[in-house]
Amino acid sequence: MFESKKYAPSEEFVRNSNLTKDQYEEMYKKSISDPEGFWGEQAERLTWFKKWDKVLEHDFANAKVEWFKGGKLNVAYNCLDRHLQTPAKNKAAIIWVGDKPGETRTYTYQQLHREVSLHANVLKRFGIKRGDRVLIYLPMIPELAIFALACTRIGAVHSVVFGGFSPESLQSRIDDAKPSLIVTSDAGFRGGRIIDMKKNIDEALQRSEHKVQHVIVAERVGNETYTVWNEGRDHHLRDILNSPDLSDECPPEEMDAEDPLFILYTSGSTGKPKGVLHTTGGYLLGANMTFNYVFDHKPDDTFWCTADIGWVTGHSYILYGPLSNGATSLMFEGVPSYPDAGRFWQICDKFGVTVFYTAPTAIRALMREGVKWVEKHRLNTLRLLGSVGEPINPEAWEWYYHNVGKGRCPVVDTWWQTETGSIMISPLPGAIDAKPGSATKPFFGIEPVIVDNDGKELEGAASGNLCIKQPWPSMMRGVYGDPERFFNTYFVQFKGYYFTGDGANRDEDGYYWITGRVDDVLNVSGHRLGSAEVESALVEHQSVAEAAVVGYPHDIKGQGIYAYVTVKNGVHTNDELKKELLELVAEKIGKIARPDVIHWAPGLPKTRSGKIMRRILRKIAEGEFSNLGDISTLADPSVVATLVEDKQKYHS
Ligand code: PRX
């Protein structure tokens, strides 16, 4: 069942690696048997203004966890100031690469420190202080990194919203986070196209209940695509930066380890996206330490994580992990296919990227373009590759390993979540052999368990629901503004455990194989979406009576969105209506949520109590008709035959 090839790192890699197999095992054992001792020692990786009173205080089963309470530190200080006393002072902290080839900017640690201090003073000028929320809606430009760090410097809580989200998604985040200030840009570039940013903010603010006093607008595109300039509310960033009395010194605020650091919205299986709240000390330690060990960090590395800072991967592995380690982090504004499918590899060569971290969906898309795009480039500086966001199929893993890594670079398949803050299960490249498709072994302090549907822990090789048994420093501390939701979402299904929402297999070697979500969360091109969100967007159309959305296997995206739509009596289904529905979803959520398939369903399979049987809908979407299970309990079993027939006729 779990047969697989094993790939060991080369002798040279092992010799230079930050950790040997024996060290991993010894440290892992200690981290589980004596978490307080272990994490107390590891926390010395960070610079503290004052040490904590207690390493860990918890009632895990009730979702109550505190790490390093009483300890005082500042994230920007750890990411910037402390490197200024080292040779890293004039080292590149961020190498920014623009969408358009040739456009780049580099910030040394010293320069970034100055920019962050200046921008922190910009925030202060608008009265922003510790605990206030700042919503950041920016394209992947340096100001995004700078403002996020500026927030941490003064103790403000940032909430970065991915630039691809629509005004309506923005509005719900604004009403939930109630930010005192928003940072945006006139517009952004992505794959040669212009993305409206300020315009989206204007629309969102028009609808939001919460009134935001200030909007700072950075300039990226230069031609003013927005139409509204709200005097008094909107401010050009350049004007504020140009004021001569703006100081470039800003003392870092002393924050408690458990003070909120950021809120990041993510989709769950029900309702609207939730604001995942991370705190200061534990989160930073998790990001810092995983970056060092999983990416085997060396001071002369050029590390490139291709994610957007609008997702947790960008938070932890473009900003906080690399910068707190004094690493050089490459930040890319564009997409893998622009101007051509060799863009990633051209950037790797040009900047001498040594460690490269991307998502399976990008690998599969580039695989389809053919190996010729890889072969045009040398890729001789690469030494380690990473994958994140969704299960990587062994075929894509092998392609990545052989063609990009030339069989020389270990691949770390890193499993984690917005909620976990940092990497949870992954090979440590010099210590753990890889098996294509497996995230392998847990990181320090992480005790994964597999439980059956009754919540019973399974031993040895097993398949079931993936849970975590002990608290870890970078875990989320709550759902912003909704304390009950944290406990109810993650700690109720399986008593005593944090439930990840993922299914997993564990093989005879203790390796974990994540099989994907077992709840109603979709993972489309590594982006997380709730079926319920897409459904509520669809039913807002006046012609739609009902909708049910499921995921199905998609060659490039990993999962595609399959929407069953029932129209109201008398409505004619046609391509025009289909187009309207796709537009509606893009408008309500964002383009990433547009269904791949709209299946007109005369009815949906429901139990007699009216519950939609998603299991059956998933099978039909997958084209798996032979094994639909018992349908006799349905209120109207005949709908299944119709759906199967239509699927074969129109959607195969
Ligand atoms: O299903 C798992 C999948 O992505 C989910 C978390 O999504 P998000 O919070 O958006 O964070 C993504 C980046 C950390 C997980 O519940 N996932 C993430 N990484 C992997 C993965 N599935 C399999 N293998 C992975 N390496």
Side-chain angles (χ1 to χ4, degrees):
M1 174 182 185
F2 300 120
E3 286 261 317
S4 162
K5 276 198 226 161
K6 230 179 183 177
Y7 287 89
S10 68
E11 269 176 34
E12 192 198 343
F13 194 97
V14 173
R15 205 168 39 245
N16 297 318
S17 136
N18 289 353
L19 204 78
T20 63
K21 191 166 188 292
D22 291 346
Q23 283 169 322
Y24 164 71
E25 275 164 13
E26 195 184 307
M27 281 170 74
Y28 181 74
K29 254 191 223 137
K30 175 158 186 197
S31 73
I32 299 299
S33 62
D34 175 19
E36 290 206 43
F38 179 84
W39 288 111
E41 269 170 36
Q42 292 301 327
E44 301 289 347
R45 303 179 59 84
L46 305 179
T47 306
W48 299 80
F49 300 132
K50 174 184 166 283
K51 286 283 156 63
W52 48 91
D53 303 323
K54 190 152 192 320
V55 173
L56 171 64
E57 195 79 71
H58 74 100
D59 172 4
F60 192 56
N62 286 307
K64 299 212 165 28
V65 175
E66 286 179 334
W67 286 93
F68 310 112
K69 185 90 181 146
K72 304 286 179 206
L73 77 168
N74 180 280
V75 167
Y77 184 92
N78 273 277
C79 289
L80 302 166
D81 306 49
R82 66 171 177 160
H83 306 311
L84 303 187
Q85 291 118 46
T86 74
K89 179 176 169 185
N90 281 314
K91 170 180 176 175
I94 291 181
I95 298 176
W96 176 79
V97 180
D99 186 56
K100 199 164 96 205
E103 195 181 3
T104 87
R105 259 194 266 169
T106 298
Y107 293 83
T108 64
Y109 272 94
Q110 183 170 220
Q111 288 171 318
L112 190 61
H113 174 263
R114 180 169 181 276
E115 290 298 328
V116 167
S117 301
L118 272 169
H119 287 73
N121 285 330
V122 169
L123 295 173
K124 277 185 170 173
R125 185 160 283 205
F126 291 104
I128 303 300
K129 52 183 191 318
R130 60 190 292 157
D132 290 348
R133 274 88 50 224
V134 172
L135 188 136
I136 304 179
Y137 182 68
L138 281 173
M140 281 285 281
I141 54 177
E143 285 78 359
L144 173 46
I146 292 167
F147 268 112
L149 286 159
C151 287
T152 72
R153 192 160 192 89
I154 61 172
V157 180
H158 63 67
S159 184
V160 182
V161 177
F162 173 59
F165 278 120
S166 69
E168 200 152 327
S169 294
L170 266 168
Q171 175 243 312
S172 74
R173 286 155 173 79
I174 291 168
D175 280 335
D176 194 77
K178 302 187 176 49
S180 311
L181 182 147
I182 292 180
V183 186
T184 190
S185 67
D186 52 354
F189 290 115
R190 212 158 175 267
R193 288 203 308 270
I194 289 181
I195 316 284
D196 294 325
M197 306 296 288
K198 167 86 165 65
K199 192 160 158 251
N200 287 352
I201 288 285
D202 289 335
E203 273 182 54
L205 285 178
Q206 236 163 31
R207 299 179 205 191
S208 66
E209 276 170 31
H210 172 72
K211 291 299 156 221
V212 175
Q213 286 170 354
H214 299 291
V215 177
I216 297 180
V217 185
E219 190 177 81
R220 171 60 184 132
V221 173
N223 60 346
E224 298 184 350
T225 53
Y226 48 87
T227 45
V228 189
W229 189 263
N230 205 320
E231 278 307 328
R233 186 198 74 183
D234 298 344
H235 312 272
H236 284 292
L237 175 62
R238 60 163 186 265
D239 293 346
I240 317 165
L241 287 173
N242 279 340
S243 58
D245 59 338
L246 189 78
S247 166
D248 63 359
E249 274 175 37
C250 175
E253 195 77 15
E254 289 198 5
M255 305 304 288
D256 191 278
E258 281 299 339
D259 277 336
L261 177 64
F262 66 80
I263 302 166
L264 188 55
Y265 285 86
T266 192
S267 297
S269 50
T270 52
K272 60 181 176 102
K274 45 184 173 286
V276 168
L277 179 73
H278 281 287
T279 56
T280 305
Y283 169 81
L284 188 64
L285 180 58
N288 175 282
M289 193 171 161
T290 48
F291 179 79
N292 177 57
Y293 286 116
V294 176
F295 299 113
D296 190 50
H297 176 59
K298 305 281 184 271
D300 60 356
D301 272 332
T302 302
F303 177 82
W304 181 14
C305 163
T306 69
D308 191 291
I309 295 178
W311 309 110
V312 74
T313 308
H315 280 58
S316 301
Y317 300 108
I318 296 178
L319 296 180
Y320 300 118
L323 298 180
S324 66
N325 276 283
T328 296
S329 178
L330 194 143
M331 172 177 177
F332 177 43
E333 185 184 33
V335 297
S337 53
Y338 176 79
D340 61 44
R343 189 73 199 276
F344 272 2
W345 321 127
Q346 178 257 334
I347 294 174
C348 283
D349 276 1
K350 179 163 175 180
F351 296 94
V353 171
T354 52
V355 183
F356 178 73
Y357 189 36
T358 197
T361 188
I363 299 169
R364 286 190 299 262
L366 293 171
M367 233 170 113
R368 192 181 55 177
E369 298 296 325
V371 77
K372 66 173 193 285
W373 292 104
V374 184
E375 286 169 348
K376 278 187 189 170
H377 303 274
R378 292 183 184 80
L379 300 180
N380 53 347
T381 55
L382 287 174
R383 63 177 194 88
L384 178 60
L385 302 173
S387 169
V388 62
E390 45 172 324
I392 179 163
N393 46 314
E395 194 195 354
W397 194 104
E398 297 270 356
W399 187 88
Y400 194 32
Y401 179 79
H402 291 289
N403 296 299
V404 180
K406 317 285 179 207
R408 177 187 74 231
C409 310
V411 173
V412 290
D413 173 4
T414 64
W415 173 83
W416 59 296
Q417 310 177 297
T418 306
E419 293 88 338
T420 71
S422 59
I423 294 168
M424 301 284 279
I425 303 183
S426 166
L428 299 186
I432 299 169
D433 296 349
K435 295 184 191 180
S438 169
T440 77
K441 298 267 197 166
F443 190 71
F444 303 124
I446 308 305
E447 196 175 358
V449 287
I450 295 194
V451 302
D452 66 13
N453 288 341
D454 300 323
K456 190 167 123 312
E457 234 180 81
L458 304 176
E459 301 294 325
S463 301
N465 304 294
L466 180 66
C467 292
I468 313 288
K469 208 173 169 174
Q470 284 195 10
W472 64 101
S474 69
M475 66 184 281
M476 71 184 279
R477 297 296 195 267
V479 172
Y480 184 76
D482 193 349
E484 291 303 300
R485 199 166 167 199
F486 180 40
F487 173 75
N488 288 334
T489 310
Y490 303 96
F491 292 87
V492 167
Q493 292 95 326
F494 303 110
K495 231 180 154 8
Y497 305 104
Y498 164 85
F499 176 42
T500 64
D502 279 318
N505 300 325
R506 184 173 52 220
D507 70 14
E508 290 77 8
D509 296 334
Y511 276 44
Y512 287 84
W513 301 71
I514 315 298
T515 51
R517 303 290 302 199
V518 292
D519 53 11
D520 292 324
V521 170
L522 308 170
N523 193 330
V524 182
S525 301
H527 300 324
R528 201 166 138 176
L529 294 164
S531 341
E533 284 171 74
V534 184
E535 287 162 6
S536 37
L538 289 167
V539 296
E540 283 199 32
H541 194 285
Q542 54 181 14
S543 301
V544 174
E546 200 169 28
V549 165
V550 296
Y552 73 103
H554 186 288
D555 283 352
I556 305 291
K557 298 179 173 184
Q559 250 187 344
I561 304 180
Y562 197 108
Y564 295 89
V565 175
T566 308
V567 292
K568 289 184 181 154
N569 274 342
V571 171
H572 286 291
T573 55
N574 54 26
D575 283 350
E576 194 49 42
L577 179 58
K578 187 170 153 183
K579 227 171 100 198
E580 281 175 32
L581 291 181
L582 298 183
E583 272 315 300
L584 183 66
V585 177
E587 194 188 303
K588 297 272 162 199
I589 308 174
K591 284 190 184 142
I592 49 174
R594 266 197 305 223
D596 298 276
V597 179
I598 300 268
H599 180 141
W600 304 118
L604 296 171
K606 288 185 190 162
T607 59
R608 291 197 187 106
S609 60
K611 190 168 170 276
I612 296 176
M613 296 291 283
R614 288 168 187 285
R615 181 177 51 79
I616 296 176
L617 292 176
R618 255 181 233 125
K619 287 252 156 83
I620 298 174
E622 286 166 13
E624 277 262 345
F625 311 125
S626 57
N627 189 17
L628 291 176
D630 183 13
I631 57 168
S632 63
T633 56
L634 295 179
D636 175 10
S638 74
V639 297
V640 174
T642 316
L643 291 178
V644 168
E645 215 173 281
D646 287 354
K647 158 82 186 166
Q648 284 168 322
K649 237 198 264 170
Y650 306 116
H651 305 290
S652 34

